[in-house]
Amino acid sequence: MERFSIEGAVIRVKSLATLRAVSAPALALIAGSMHSWAIASPVSGQPVWWLQLMALTLLVILLDRCRSATAAAWLGSLFASCSIGGSVWWLYISLHVYGGLSSALAGLSVLGLSGFLALYYALAGAVFCRLRPCGPALRACLFAAVWLAADLLRATVLTGFPWGVGGYAHIDGPFSALAPWVGVYGIGAATAFVSALLAAVLVRPPQIRGAWQPLAVLVLIIAASGRWHEAQGPVQAPAVSVTLLQANIAQEQKFESATGVRDALEWYATQLMAASTALVVAPETAIPLLPDQLPAGYMEKLRSHFATGQQAALIGMPMGSEKEGYTNSVVGLRPGADGYYYNKHHLVPFGEFVPPLFRWFTRMMKIPLGDFESGGVGQPSIEWMGNRFAPNICYEDLFGEELATRFRDKAYAPTVLVNVSNIAWFGNTVAIDQHLQISRMRAREFERPMLRATNTGATAVIDRFGRVTDLLPRHTRGVLVARVQGGQRITAYAWWLSRLGLWPFWVLVAAVLTVAARASRE
């Protein structure tokens, strides 16, 4: 009987080990799903900051149990693949429904993108497991550093695609106070730090003695950051009345001459000339034709309307020719000034330019206007009514380090940011909500209001604290009339990012890795 009991215990121990081995990948996938949900809930569209902390805490617990860097890399990859895939699954709609790819190839493309971007987080997991110094504070610093490095690689390699990084979940949470100081990547590092401390306490309760001090310091820093900005008081430019246009033209009709093109030309011309506010903004490719393709006198009529009076307009439309090349642009019309143009700098791979060796892939898609020329970084703003309005197009507001170049000289820094977009490519999905949170984070980082004029949503006015003050219902045709108050203070984040780019983050990562490597050898 005794031998039977011992054998039974051995069997139970082996079964428990097998269960843990099987459950760790499943838990990593669950945590990744939680992470994608936290950026913008599929139910409400709102970010859920505490859920992002829970997801990362669970991941750290799983990584702590790994006995090898390979196992940690696998779990990090699973987590990130699920998080990224859960954030950008709507790319399938643009590739299959509007791009004409087969459902299988479109699905594989989304999985391939998610898997590729997940490699950065696999590397982060491996390095964390390989070094893993003793002491909860240093371990938390190490996890924050490797997670920050993964976010930065994702933002920069091969033109970058940091859509859905964890910091965006915190635009409404307590960590948002850090945005004017360290931006979304700094927020992501801070939440990774806190998650690692929470994991240490949950797994080894006695470590609370070494965890509460650094956690308390971070709480004080966050509180002080928020209070400092409140104490500074407003530094504002004059208030301006604005009209934002949302035509809600279906993507499958947008470039069809008998339907979408005709509808866009008529509706936008009518609304642009009917508006009574100081500024009117029409979204990306609101006018879906090149200048030489427009009906005779179309642009001349618009220019004549805005050549006198007290109104200006920003209109999204393609520009250029076969000889000069094409640009995805914003055209500015205003009294008493030469024409203003902003040409999109950060182009979308496959949609707006063809990456090397991928011409075969784009030939399989049916996306018009697919090979643009890139505009310069830090193009000038359009000055109007005591403000400097700085356009950006589509997902350019995802790259704060590029927008920051406009803040290097305070005398020419934007007072209002303007995003024009058409994300009808992705249907009526959470992509609309995610993009709204991205714009809100940029407004919070730079303390500048953001105007958003879109084809299908979210057309909105965001104040300098990242709060949505005016919003049109999505996927409806409408006109949003509001007032916007420009900002003039240069935030700490705008100051150092405009001069140093992302390099201070890399220096911080290198310093932490050096200290952790030495500590792990002792």
Side-chain angles (χ1 to χ4, degrees):
M1 176 67 77
E2 182 178 351
R3 180 171 176 77
F4 176 82
S5 298
I6 293 175
E7 289 178 348
V10 171
I11 291 172
R12 285 194 296 273
V13 170
K14 289 183 178 179
S15 299
L16 181 59
T18 302
L19 178 61
R20 285 179 176 173
V22 172
S23 64
L27 288 173
L29 292 173
I30 293 172
S33 299
M34 292 164 57
H35 197 264
S36 65
W37 186 297
I39 306 303
S41 166
V43 177
S44 65
Q46 298 302 307
V48 189
W49 66 268
W50 55 266
L51 188 61
Q52 194 266 346
L53 283 179
M54 289 179 58
L56 273 192
T57 301
L58 178 54
L59 177 63
V60 176
I61 292 173
L62 294 174
L63 293 176
D64 265 329
R65 293 179 178 178
C66 292
R67 297 183 178 181
S68 69
T70 302
W74 172 238
L75 290 181
S77 177
L78 287 176
F79 174 94
S81 294
C82 196
S83 174
I84 297 168
S87 298
V88 303
W89 62 268
W90 34 260
L91 288 172
Y92 173 88
I93 298 173
S94 62
L95 294 173
H96 174 58
V97 177
Y98 303 121
L101 286 184
S102 68
S103 58
L105 186 55
L108 287 173
S109 298
V110 176
L111 290 175
L113 174 65
S114 303
F116 173 77
L117 296 176
L119 292 177
Y120 306 133
Y121 300 92
L123 178 62
V127 172
F128 178 70
C129 182
R130 175 67 180 82
L131 298 180
R132 206 158 43 185
C134 296
L138 186 53
R139 288 163 69 89
C141 287
L142 175 59
F143 183 69
V146 297
W147 206 253
L148 173 60
D151 280 349
L152 294 177
L153 288 171
R154 181 174 162 191
T156 55
V157 175
L158 298 177
T159 77
F161 190 60
W163 192 289
V165 296
Y168 288 111
H170 296 272
I171 184 60
D172 288 327
F175 288 90
S176 66
L178 297 175
W181 299 89
V182 293
V184 69
Y185 300 120
I187 291 174
T191 59
F193 178 80
V194 171
S195 296
L197 290 178
L198 293 176
V201 171
L202 291 173
V203 174
R204 305 177 186 87
Q207 290 198 2
I208 192 173
R209 296 177 182 176
W212 75 266
Q213 296 99 330
L215 185 59
V217 170
L218 181 59
V219 169
L220 289 175
I221 291 174
I222 293 173
S225 298
R227 292 295 298 272
W228 188 89
H229 273 276
E230 291 176 5
Q232 295 306 300
V235 180
Q236 298 175 335
V240 178
S241 59
V242 297
T243 298
L244 308 179
L245 305 180
Q246 178 176 291
N248 191 38
I249 296 174
Q251 190 59 42
E252 63 269 20
Q253 298 178 1
K254 184 170 177 60
F255 297 101
E256 295 293 330
S257 58
T259 53
V261 172
R262 180 198 61 201
D263 196 12
L265 294 179
E266 293 177 358
W267 192 79
Y268 280 116
T270 299
Q271 299 304 323
L272 283 164
M273 291 190 289
S276 59
T277 56
L279 178 69
V280 193
V281 186
E284 177 186 16
T285 60
I287 298 177
L289 297 178
L290 292 161
D292 60 3
Q293 297 172 331
L294 288 169
Y298 185 88
M299 283 303 297
E300 288 73 12
K301 187 176 181 181
L302 289 177
R303 287 194 175 96
S304 176
H305 178 80
F306 289 99
T308 59
Q310 298 295 313
Q311 288 184 291
L314 291 171
I315 307 167
M317 63 181 293
M319 298 294 290
S321 64
E322 184 176 356
K323 181 180 179 180
E324 300 172 352
Y326 304 104
T327 57
N328 189 355
S329 302
V330 173
V331 175
L333 306 177
R334 56 182 167 164
D338 295 333
Y340 171 86
Y341 299 94
Y342 170 80
N343 300 323
K344 187 177 182 183
H345 166 72
H346 206 115
L347 303 178
V348 179
F350 306 109
E352 292 176 323
F353 80 95
V354 182
L357 305 179
F358 278 91
R359 181 71 62 179
W360 62 272
F361 185 76
T362 57
R363 285 173 181 160
M364 301 173 66
M365 293 190 290
K366 303 173 183 177
I367 295 179
L369 306 173
D371 206 359
F372 286 112
E373 299 292 328
S374 176
V377 178
Q379 298 173 57
S381 306
I382 180 172
E383 297 191 22
W384 184 243
M385 292 293 181
N387 282 271
R388 291 180 291 274
F389 295 88
N392 59 86
I393 300 176
C394 192
Y395 85 150
E396 281 192 305
D397 62 345
L398 184 60
F399 301 93
E401 61 275 16
E402 294 176 359
L403 299 187
T405 60
R406 302 178 179 186
F407 291 85
R408 192 171 298 159
D409 187 339
K410 185 176 181 179
Y412 297 98
T415 59
V416 181
L417 301 174
V418 183
N419 178 266
V420 297
S421 293
N422 172 38
I423 54 175
W425 292 103
F426 313 121
N428 191 2
T429 66
V430 73
I432 294 175
D433 305 298
Q434 292 169 343
H435 200 189
L436 180 61
Q437 314 313 341
I438 290 168
S439 292
R440 294 178 63 201
M441 183 60 75
R442 295 293 87 79
R444 188 77 174 97
E445 289 171 346
F446 300 126
E447 284 196 2
R448 293 295 186 271
M450 176 81 82
L451 305 179
R452 287 179 48 85
T454 72
N455 178 25
T456 57
T459 295
V461 176
I462 302 168
D463 71 10
R464 64 190 180 95
F465 295 109
R467 299 173 300 204
V468 177
T469 59
D470 301 273
L471 178 68
L472 278 181
R474 60 205 284 173
H475 278 262
T476 59
R477 177 167 293 186
V479 175
L480 180 61
V481 178
R483 290 185 68 81
V484 62
Q485 184 88 55
Q488 292 184 324
R489 182 191 298 120
I490 303 297
T491 65
Y493 184 61
W495 187 91
W496 66 258
L497 190 66
S498 65
R499 290 161 174 79
L500 303 173
L502 297 172
W503 281 106
F505 284 135
W506 283 116
V507 171
L508 179 62
V509 168
V512 173
L513 289 179
T514 300
V515 172
R518 290 178 178 175
S520 66
R521 290 196 296 265
E522 294 176 356

